[in-house]
Amino acid sequence: MPYSPDAIRHIRLSTATLPLTTPISDAKVFTGRQKPMTEVVFLFAEITTEQGCEGLGFSYSKRAGGPAQYAHAKEVAAVALGEDPSDIAKLYTKLLWAGASVGRSGVATQALAALDIALYDLKAKRAGLPLAKLLGAHRDSVRTYDTSGGFLHASLDEVRDRADRSLAEGIGGIKIKVGLPDGAEDLRRVAAVREHLGDAVPLMVDANQQWDRRTALRMGRRLEEFDLTWIEEPLDADDAEGHAALASTLDTPIATGEMLASVAEHERLIAARACDVLQPDAPRVGGITPFLKLATLADHAGLDLAPHFAMEIHLHLAATYPREPWVEHFDWLDPLFEERLETRGGRMLVPDRLGLGVTLSGQARAWTTESVELGTV
């Protein structure tokens, strides 16, 4: 059967605010740099074609940036109308040039991420495939670890109880936050959780960029005894040289990358050999199109991969990585979607549903604060 050209007929952009049931605190709160997080703002893009095919994509922001993402998407999205949705690379370039005066990273491309992801979702659905299968999967499940229960606002008892529930639910590893002003308290919490979990359960820690180079080296050496899977963001995200020094000195792997907002920033990190585990975030770097570029660079450099947040997207992308990756389990986004991802035996299963395999819930619609319709319904 010959290819039947299609065209984008309609784009719906919306922004919704997801309230968090408990204010979230990591080390940035305890060092006075940020306030507890109480909500996450999402940008959704829903694309419909002349043939009735549909695609859903999203981007997000924490604490700030949501209105800016939505405003930029409204300004540039119309250039995609009338285009063949299968030509994703062409469309991405066209969207970039529509907003070229504000650059190619940060909010400027995070706004495009929702559109780019929606186009991939649409293309996979049109092909009758889950997104991972469209891209070319290496596996049908991915190792997964829980982050939701390891924040610093939670007591040790709460962290241990949540870890037990996560493991019982089929999640394979546990990550907890560190980076408190009192390093001794960090070590006490890590020791208690490691003792509780035993030696067989993968355990990660995340300092959320709150250590300086000297502190990171000292804490990294103290943490070696706990056989951690990695130490995450020990330094400022832009400190490639400092991360490289830690990666070459410590036995424990260094993980970072989630706060970087472009392929170019990841290139610098990779070139500096600044980590053992790369943690890109597709919505933050501008979508699946740039994510796939940096994943290729990471593979060529021999790095492990553990994408940050947004497991609904990253499960599919991690499944395509040649090396055995990790995907981060967060339950925060559950109210936004009708479907749930399955975990079993320490792994998250790639769903057999088409595309991303998620649809917006009625609750997500109820939390929508603003929307715009482009094209014809």
Side-chain angles (χ1 to χ4, degrees):
M1 181 182 296
Y3 172 69
S4 176
D6 202 353
I8 296 173
R9 170 173 55 84
H10 179 259
I11 300 172
R12 183 180 193 269
L13 300 171
S14 60
T15 182
T17 301
L18 168 70
L20 300 177
T21 55
T22 301
I24 302 298
S25 295
D26 58 24
K28 297 186 294 291
V29 174
F30 286 85
T31 56
R33 289 173 169 162
Q34 290 183 341
K35 294 180 180 179
M37 182 165 48
T38 58
E39 62 188 28
V40 182
V41 178
F42 286 83
L43 166 65
F44 293 108
E46 297 167 83
I47 297 177
T48 307
T49 73
E50 295 287 357
Q51 295 180 10
C53 299
E54 297 179 345
L56 169 67
F58 67 87
S59 190
Y60 73 93
S61 61
K62 298 177 181 178
R63 294 187 173 91
Q69 286 185 15
Y70 178 65
H72 188 70
K74 284 197 302 179
E75 285 194 286
V76 302
V79 304
L81 294 171
E83 295 283 357
D84 189 327
S86 293
D87 297 335
I88 299 176
K90 172 187 173 182
L91 279 167
Y92 199 86
T93 300
K94 191 171 186 178
L95 288 162
L96 275 176
W97 278 108
S101 65
V102 289
R104 296 189 175 185
S105 67
V107 167
T109 47
Q110 289 162 8
L112 306 188
L115 294 158
D116 183 70
I117 292 163
L119 288 169
Y120 274 97
D121 181 51
L122 190 157
K123 191 169 188 174
K125 288 175 179 173
R126 192 176 186 191
L129 295 168
L131 178 59
K133 296 295 185 181
L134 176 78
L135 297 175
H138 283 269
R139 58 194 63 81
D140 293 323
S141 66
V142 179
R143 292 182 298 182
T144 186
Y145 68 95
D146 179 72
T147 293
S148 305
F151 282 83
L152 290 171
H153 62 269
S155 69
L156 259 176
D157 283 342
E158 290 171 326
V159 171
R160 286 184 288 231
D161 288 347
R162 176 54 188 267
D164 289 343
R165 292 201 306 273
S166 295
L167 295 174
E169 291 167 1
I171 296 170
I174 302 297
K175 187 173 80 178
I176 67 171
K177 300 290 185 173
V178 293
L180 289 165
D182 181 3
E185 179 62 13
D186 279 334
L187 294 169
R188 186 181 76 86
R189 286 171 69 93
V190 175
V193 174
R194 171 50 86 198
E195 181 180 11
H196 181 74
L197 296 176
D199 295 335
V201 176
L203 176 63
M204 306 83 163
V205 301
D206 182 359
N208 288 108
Q209 309 178 76
Q210 296 310 292
W211 291 331
D212 58 29
R213 291 185 180 186
R214 182 176 297 177
T215 303
L217 181 57
R218 183 175 65 250
M219 290 296 293
R221 285 172 171 158
R222 295 290 303 276
L223 289 166
E224 297 274 33
E225 66 177 285
F226 301 112
D227 190 26
L228 300 176
T229 301
W230 68 65
I231 299 171
E232 184 171 331
E233 285 198 316
L235 300 170
D236 186 277
D238 291 324
D239 187 1
E241 292 77 12
H243 278 103
L246 288 176
S248 65
T249 302
L250 298 175
D251 291 334
T252 305
I254 298 298
T256 191
E258 71 178 65
M259 295 302 297
L260 303 184
S262 68
V263 175
E265 291 170 55
H266 281 274
E267 277 187 300
R268 179 170 173 263
L269 195 74
I270 293 167
R273 304 297 301 178
C275 64
D276 306 286
V277 184
L278 195 68
Q279 298 183 296
D281 183 316
R284 280 187 176 163
V285 300
I288 292 172
T289 295
F291 184 100
L292 294 175
K293 293 179 181 178
L294 66 88
T296 298
L297 295 173
D299 179 39
H300 284 174
L303 300 180
D304 290 332
L305 186 78
H308 168 256
F309 200 58
M311 62 187 184
E312 294 78 7
I313 300 167
H314 291 131
L315 171 59
H316 291 272
L317 302 183
T320 72
Y321 197 62
R323 302 164 194 278
E324 183 71 44
W326 287 91
V327 68
E328 186 171 27
H329 188 282
F330 262 100
D331 59 8
W332 297 0
L333 276 58
D334 284 356
L336 297 175
F337 304 109
E338 294 290 351
E339 300 81 7
R340 295 291 177 268
L341 293 172
E342 184 179 354
T343 53
R344 186 190 310 154
R347 303 180 72 85
M348 188 179 294
L349 280 57
V350 176
D352 57 9
R353 301 182 294 272
L354 304 187
L356 287 174
V358 295
T359 53
L360 288 180
S361 67
Q363 183 63 78
R365 303 288 186 192
W367 282 330
T368 297
T369 56
E370 193 173 348
S371 65
V372 63
E373 314 278 341
L374 304 173
T376 57
V377 179

